[in-house]
């Protein structure tokens, strides 16, 4: 992850490039094992961020720069209402997530994505969620289902 601290006009610290993973391990109510917000009380309702890849399509960037944990293609993440429960299954069994609030973009998007991205991503920055199950998600195709409660 880039260290987005200070003012965007100063640019990010010269940290290593963001690292993609071929899989992540999730813990119910805690988040992604190894993530900086894992088991952080201030982030229990926002432990995992999900974004639609289409939100970033206007720019030729690696989705990792948006600093979202999960990138989905072909699903309107931003249309999910607070309290919605959905599941993702990449072959190791479904993992359910509860949607809590928007993952609003910040001014850093103008620096790491492109000028104007901060404004363009308003309302398209994804959602902050809580995992409801322990499980594993792998890179690649996933089955997504809205859970009716």
């Amino acid at each position: 992850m880039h260290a987005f601290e200070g003012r965007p006009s100063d640019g990010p610290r010269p940290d290593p490039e963001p690292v993609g993973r071929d899989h992540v391990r999730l813990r119910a109510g805690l988040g992604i094992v190894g993530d900086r917000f894992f088991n952080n009380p201030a982030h229990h309702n926002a432990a995992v961020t999900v974004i639609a890849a289409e939100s970033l399509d206007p720019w030729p960037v690696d989705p990792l720069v948006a600093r979202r944990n999960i990138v989905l293609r072909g699903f309107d993440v931003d249309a999910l209402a607070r309290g919605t429960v959905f599941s993702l299954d990449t072959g190791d069994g479904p993992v359910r997530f509860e949607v809590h609030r928007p993952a609003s973009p910040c001014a850093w998007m103008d620096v790491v994505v492109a000028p104007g991205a901060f404004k363009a991503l308003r309302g398209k920055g994804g959602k902050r969620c809580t995992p409801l199950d322990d499980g594993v998600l792998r890179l690649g195709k996933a089955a997504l289902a809205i859970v009716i409660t």
Side-chain angles (χ1 to χ4, degrees):
M1 287 291 159
H2 287 288
F4 297 152
E5 57 188 38
R7 298 180 191 275
S9 60
D10 296 335
R13 292 189 327 218
D15 291 344
E17 288 298 312
V19 177
R21 307 266 186 252
D22 64 353
H23 74 282
V24 292
R25 194 167 295 283
L26 295 113
R27 295 283 311 278
L30 302 176
I32 296 173
V33 175
D35 184 71
R36 64 191 175 123
F37 294 124
F38 180 77
N39 197 24
N40 182 325
H43 292 274
H44 279 191
N45 286 338
V48 176
T49 54
V50 183
I51 191 170
E54 292 82 358
S55 294
L56 299 168
D57 280 350
W59 306 282
V61 297
D62 185 327
L64 292 174
V65 300
R67 297 182 55 154
R68 301 301 187 251
N69 303 119
I70 298 172
V71 180
L72 300 176
R73 182 165 295 283
F75 183 75
D76 187 0
V77 172
D78 294 297
L80 293 170
R82 179 179 295 232
T84 299
V85 175
F86 68 95
S87 69
L88 292 172
D89 188 344
T90 59
D92 291 286
V95 178
R96 294 173 304 141
F97 295 88
E98 182 177 359
V99 176
H100 288 286
R101 59 186 171 89
S104 300
C106 67
W108 279 102
M109 295 301 104
D110 283 348
V111 175
V112 299
V113 175
F118 170 49
K119 185 176 180 180
L121 284 169
R122 289 183 190 155
K124 299 177 189 174
K127 296 290 182 168
R128 297 188 184 282
C129 305
T130 301
L132 301 177
D133 305 300
D134 291 353
V136 174
L137 293 178
R138 299 185 183 281
L139 184 63
K141 291 190 178 196
L144 184 145
I146 301 297
V147 178
I148 307 298
T149 56

